[in-house]
Amino acid sequence: MNQVMLITGTRKGIGRYLAEYYLAQNLTVIGCSRSAVDQNHPNYQHFELDITDEMAVKQMFATIRQTYGKLDILINNAGIATMNHLLLTPVKTVNHILNTNVTGTFLCCREAAKLMKRTQYGRIVNFATVATPLKLEGEAIYAASKAAVVSLTGILARELAEFGITVNAIGPTPVQTDLIRAVPPAKVQALLARQAIHRFGEFRDISNVIDFFIRPESDFVTGQILYLGGV
Amino acid sequence: MTQETILHTIYRAIDEFNTLLPTSQHLAKSPHTPLFGGSQAHLDSMGLVNFIILVEQYAEDTFGRAISLADERAMAQRHNPFETTGALADYIARILDEETA
């Protein structure tokens, strides 16, 4: 049977690209997002849900188990960002970002690990960000939420190692997607200037790292955070 | 949902769980089988985690919906819901009743 991969947040941007990229490599891809997608590939199944809704997430994983009998790879791509000075950040925004980026990632990791444990094999890739190590002004809550993901990644790597599950994270630089559309160009240029390689990240940079993390041969690689662009 | 159906679901989880254990440590398919927390407990904390995961998965198959057994509600019960298979079956019945109410 094909490898079975779940990617969260496949409606657009990096998630959509990754779904198409891995479908082209003959993987069975399951995606989810809060709204429908126009993806009709025969090896693609979509769930419409909010990844912070515990019972909806559990139901999705129950369906994956009943349909495919296993889950080999989880890519926790779904995430949201905002650009706000501390003094102008509403608590509602804080809760929304923490729920999606931290709780959503946690829930999917937990339910995926239950499935992967049965086969004693799994690859989990979380999404961090260069905003955390670069301590970007205006991104306090986004960077803090991804710092939590970094912490989660390191600890889950240890908790899940005995089940043959690796847990790693990729820290992308800015990629030209909706996520950074609202960021002023001058801010983006200043950020690119702090990278060792001063360019936007591209989708292929991300799939290249994920390819490495999810290879069966990468079974001795876990708890790692790989930042792009030389950050 | 009858107690018998729920116990049968737990026994299916026991069948799979036992395949992971030496014969001498197999769980018996009885409502009185001690699981966790009592003086006769068969499971340590990691054993309970592994067993509960299986019970949740078989319960999903039997009852057609996801249930969560290890949460703050379980910790708040007056009697340990994981002490025996029978106590676990009672607890699952309560969860299913509450969710359909």
Side-chain angles (χ1 to χ4, degrees):
Chain A
M1 186 185 187
N2 293 355
Q3 282 208 304
V4 179
M5 167 187 275
L6 169 64
I7 306 170
T8 63
T10 47
R11 191 173 67 81
K12 59 185 181 177
I14 295 168
R16 184 186 176 93
Y17 160 79
L18 291 173
E20 289 170 355
Y21 176 82
Y22 287 108
L23 283 168
Q25 295 190 27
N26 212 25
L27 271 74
T28 295
V29 176
I30 301 144
C32 66
S33 62
R34 282 172 293 184
S35 50
V37 296
D38 55 346
Q39 173 60 264
N40 296 313
H41 194 287
N43 290 340
Y44 181 82
Q45 181 178 8
H46 192 76
F47 290 84
E48 258 184 79
L49 56 82
D50 179 343
I51 57 162
T52 68
D53 179 341
E54 181 176 16
M55 294 319 284
V57 169
K58 282 180 74 79
Q59 194 60 56
M60 173 176 68
F61 279 89
T63 305
I64 291 171
R65 180 174 55 80
Q66 289 156 355
T67 307
Y68 305 102
K70 66 169 184 170
L71 179 69
D72 300 297
I73 302 158
L74 166 66
I75 310 293
N76 269 315
N77 161 74
I80 53 173
T82 185
M83 186 100 187
N84 257 342
H85 191 284
L86 166 74
L87 301 178
L88 298 173
T89 306
V91 165
K92 189 176 177 187
T93 301
V94 174
N95 289 336
H96 189 39
I97 290 178
L98 292 176
N99 273 338
T100 302
N101 295 358
V102 184
T103 309
T105 297
F106 163 81
L107 265 178
C108 290
C109 284
R110 188 188 72 189
E111 295 306 310
K114 291 177 183 175
L115 280 186
M116 293 169 173
K117 183 178 167 302
R118 292 179 81 116
T119 53
Q120 294 287 295
Y121 180 88
R123 298 279 180 269
I124 295 175
V125 181
N126 293 329
F127 269 66
T129 172
V130 297
T132 303
L134 292 179
K135 299 176 173 55
L136 292 184
E137 294 152 300
E139 300 204 5
I141 294 306
Y142 176 63
S145 74
K146 293 298 189 176
V149 170
V150 167
S151 195
L152 194 64
T153 300
I155 292 173
L156 296 192
R158 286 160 179 78
E159 288 191 357
L160 300 178
E162 64 177 302
F163 307 130
I165 302 169
T166 65
V167 189
N168 294 287
I170 178 172
T173 61
V175 177
Q176 287 177 307
T177 65
D178 286 355
L179 202 68
I180 65 158
R181 186 185 292 164
V183 181
K187 287 273 185 190
V188 174
Q189 287 308 318
L191 167 56
L192 297 183
R194 294 176 67 185
Q195 299 171 190
I197 303 167
H198 312 296
R199 67 163 171 85
F200 276 102
E202 296 188 9
F203 289 157
R204 65 177 173 79
D205 299 316
I206 293 168
S207 54
N208 179 47
V209 172
I210 294 176
D211 281 344
F212 168 67
F213 282 148
I214 68 175
R215 290 170 58 190
E217 297 82 0
S218 295
D219 58 354
F220 203 45
V221 178
T222 195
Q224 303 304 302
I225 317 297
L226 201 156
Y227 292 109
L228 289 172
V231 171
Chain B
M1 198 58 60
T2 67
Q3 186 82 353
E4 193 179 344
T5 306
I6 297 172
L7 274 173
H8 182 69
T9 302
I10 295 172
Y11 294 162
R12 289 171 65 204
I14 287 178
D15 281 336
E16 181 168 343
F17 190 70
N18 281 344
T19 64
L20 309 171
L21 298 173
T23 310
S24 61
Q25 294 174 27
H26 279 186
L27 298 181
K29 292 192 278 187
S30 151
H32 308 295
T33 301
L35 295 175
F36 183 77
S39 57
Q40 307 290 314
H42 280 77
L43 304 176
D44 59 14
S45 54
M46 205 57 210
L48 178 70
V49 169
N50 292 331
F51 182 63
I52 289 298
I53 290 169
L54 287 175
V55 173
E56 281 185 351
Q57 290 176 347
Y58 280 104
E60 285 164 5
D61 293 344
T62 304
F63 308 120
R65 59 186 150 141
I67 64 168
S68 213
L69 292 176
D71 57 15
E72 61 278 6
R73 184 168 43 177
M75 303 307 133
Q77 300 293 306
R78 183 177 298 177
H79 300 294
N80 172 9
F82 307 123
E83 188 164 2
T84 64
T85 44
L88 180 56
D90 290 342
Y91 181 55
I92 293 173
R94 281 202 298 280
I95 290 176
L96 293 172
D97 284 347
E98 283 169 17
E99 288 177 359
T100 49

